[in-house]
Amino acid sequence: MEPDECPECEAGRVIRYRVESTQEIVRVCDECDALWEAGADLTSPSVTTVDQYLTVRGLPLLWTGLTVIV
């Protein structure tokens, strides 16, 4: 597995994002939308998806609220 390969689907890349409204840092697979919070270990299974994460926080289900961190 490549360093940025998704351990959930093994097809996508895990990319770091900032949630603009909360300033939280998350990591998201660009293929399956699995989401890990900043401190979570990528070798453990993802416990949520982007949609679930945003819904629980009462945020709009829009990718425009996420900014890629380079």
Side-chain angles (χ1 to χ4, degrees), residues 13-14 19 24-25 28 32-33 38-39 44-45 48-49 55 63 69-70:
R13 288 186 15 214
V14 177
V19 182
E24 294 173 281
I25 304 299
V28 179
C32 70
D33 292 345
S44 62
T48 192
T49 63
T55 299
W63 280 89
I69 297 173
V70 184

Side-chain angles (χ1 to χ4, degrees), residues 14-50:
V14 177
I15 300 169
R16 289 178 9 126
Y17 289 91
R18 177 181 298 106
V19 182
E20 291 304 324
S21 60
T22 64
Q23 296 301 301
E24 294 173 281
I25 304 299
V26 296
R27 293 175 289 174
V28 179
C29 173
D30 66 356
E31 184 67 29
C32 70
D33 292 345
L35 183 143
W36 293 264
E37 293 187 26
D41 183 4
L42 284 180
T43 60
S44 62
S46 166
V47 294
T48 192
T49 63
V50 172

